[in-house]
Amino acid sequence: MANVNNCITEARKANEESDKEVEHALAQFLKSDYENCMMCTGFYGGNFGQPVCSTCHLFLFSSQLKEEGDDGDRVYNQKVDSDDSGTEEPGVETDFYASRDIQEREVYHQAKRPARHKPDKLTERINALTSPREIDRIPAGLIDSLPPEVLLLVFKNLDDISLWVAGNVCTRWRQILDGEISQSKWKHFIQLRWPLFQLQYKVRCWKTIYSQLLLSSPCRYCLESMMLQSTPPIEENSWRHRRLRSELKTLKTDPPEGIQATPLDRHCCHWQASITGPQGSPYEGGLFLLYLQIPQSYPMRPPKVRFITKIFHPNISRHGDVGLDSIHHNWSLALTISKVLISIQSLLTDPYCNICMEPAIGRLFKHNRNQFDRMARLCTWKFAMHDYVMAFPIDPNSV
């Protein structure tokens, strides 16, 4: 019996040392990836622990840069009776009935008017982010001398992520927020921000779960804009609306195994989906959340899909973007949101390493499969199994 216990102890120590090596390798990999922006490598400024700096994120991943009426996201609406059929006669004030003198006079006045340049929103935003600004010096100790009543009035105007960040500024602010925000409030924040987060075990501290979900997100910029983006109204009789309503009904009545999806707004422009890690893969047991942005020209154009849970995979970038050809170049009208999620789920089991979004992870998968599996399993444990870790913490003395 003593020999068996000694063997178990030695095996446990060997596993612990090996797990520490894998955890150290994963920490080094994440640290090297998050030191600089993955796009500009720090040219536009610091990324503050995010995979992409704010300037690159605004230029590459923001949908608010496109102005209204852009053909890229045009809504394909059906014709209604109130629309112009094109057979009506034009009005008297149109150029068709205008005389030659009126036309020449109009051209003359237009030539005399100063040219109006359309403001470039992208240039304005990049200049605002990159140009240095003069910051007024705040006297030392002024913030610390503010009474709690004033701080509470300020905190009431903050969203949930800003409240969490403010609670990590100093001990005084954390104590004020802990006394003001209850556990039920943090639970409400989780239900709004991550509606598909599934609870398997009893949660003791909802704030801790919120912190882990927030820290497990690859990009906080995407997480903040997920519920704050304004969406234009969609016509009720549009092809897009009927298509999405049919897909949502199918997802609710007959969902694929391990897959869920739900819209975040009434226009169905922003969705959240969840994929359970496939059995037999290093992602087994994990719950991976995704953010889907449905364009107004859907299904003519594919949805934008992005992971909002960190994952160690060669075809998923550190920003959460998915390297799936069917949602980039080979989009078809026959594809649906359900089929896209099924393809992503199968990609977790069978990665494609000839062309990778993360070449270093792809090389590790091809040349050292055991090390890849252990790092992917550890990443799944850290970022996709929050309630399980809280309910059953790792005890190094247990076997």
Side-chain angles (χ1 to χ4, degrees), residues 24-34 312 358 360-361 375:
H24 178 71
L26 180 61
Q28 291 296 326
F29 178 81
L30 295 176
K31 181 179 179 181
S32 62
D33 281 354
Y34 284 87
F312 191 81
E358 295 291 341
I361 302 179
M375 293 184 71

Side-chain angles (χ1 to χ4, degrees), residues 35-37 40 42-50 52-55 221:
E35 284 182 351
N36 293 319
C37 173
C40 68
F43 179 79
Y44 291 112
N47 55 340
F48 306 104
Q50 301 299 313
V52 183
C53 65
S54 58
T55 305
Y221 298 129

Side-chain angles (χ1 to χ4, degrees), residues 66-75 118 232 296:
K66 296 183 179 180
E67 300 178 359
E68 296 181 0
D70 190 3
D71 293 338
D73 281 336
R74 184 179 59 217
V75 183
K118 197 174 185 180
Q296 296 187 22

Side-chain angles (χ1 to χ4, degrees), residues 131-184:
S131 59
R133 293 172 294 181
E134 296 182 1
I135 303 177
D136 298 333
R137 292 186 178 181
I138 301 176
L142 178 60
I143 300 296
D144 296 335
S145 62
L146 290 177
E149 294 78 9
V150 177
L151 291 175
L152 287 176
L153 289 176
V154 176
F155 292 156
K156 287 182 179 179
N157 298 318
L158 300 180
D159 61 329
D160 53 331
I161 296 181
S162 300
L163 287 173
W164 182 86
V165 174
N168 295 322
V169 171
C170 61
T171 305
R172 180 169 178 256
W173 286 17
R174 183 176 68 250
Q175 292 176 352
I176 293 175
L177 288 173
D178 289 343
E180 182 68 18
I181 303 178
S182 60
Q183 290 294 325
S184 60

Side-chain angles (χ1 to χ4, degrees), residues 243-271:
R243 172 75 175 259
L244 289 176
R245 185 173 57 185
S246 176
E247 292 187 23
L248 181 60
K249 182 179 179 181
T250 304
L251 283 169
K252 289 184 177 181
T253 56
D254 187 19
E257 184 178 358
I259 292 177
Q260 290 184 351
T262 181
L264 300 176
D265 61 325
R266 64 186 183 90
H267 299 300
C268 296
C269 292
H270 308 284
W271 288 52

Side-chain angles (χ1 to χ4, degrees), residues 79 81-91 96-97:
K79 200 73 172 177
D81 296 337
S82 60
D83 291 340
D84 186 9
S85 62
T87 59
E88 290 81 0
E89 294 183 356
F96 184 82
Y97 284 97

Side-chain angles (χ1 to χ4, degrees), residues 164 183 186-187 189-191 193-194 197-217 223 289 382-392:
W164 182 86
Q183 290 294 325
W186 288 111
K187 180 181 178 180
F189 290 154
I190 293 175
Q191 292 174 349
R193 185 72 63 174
W194 300 276
F197 176 67
Q198 300 176 358
L199 295 174
Q200 303 294 337
Y201 306 96
K202 184 178 180 180
V203 176
R204 301 175 183 176
C205 182
W206 287 99
K207 182 182 178 181
T208 305
I209 295 293
Y210 182 93
S211 301
Q212 292 183 352
L213 286 171
L214 188 63
L215 295 175
S216 66
S217 175
L223 195 64
L289 301 176
K382 291 170 66 69
F383 303 123
M385 302 176 66
H386 305 297
D387 56 339
Y388 184 83
V389 175
M390 291 295 297
F392 301 97

Side-chain angles (χ1 to χ4, degrees), residues 287-305:
L287 181 68
F288 299 94
L289 301 176
L290 298 89
Y291 167 59
L292 290 82
Q293 185 175 354
I294 313 298
Q296 296 187 22
S297 56
Y298 181 83
M300 301 298 294
R301 293 198 175 189
K304 297 178 181 179
V305 185

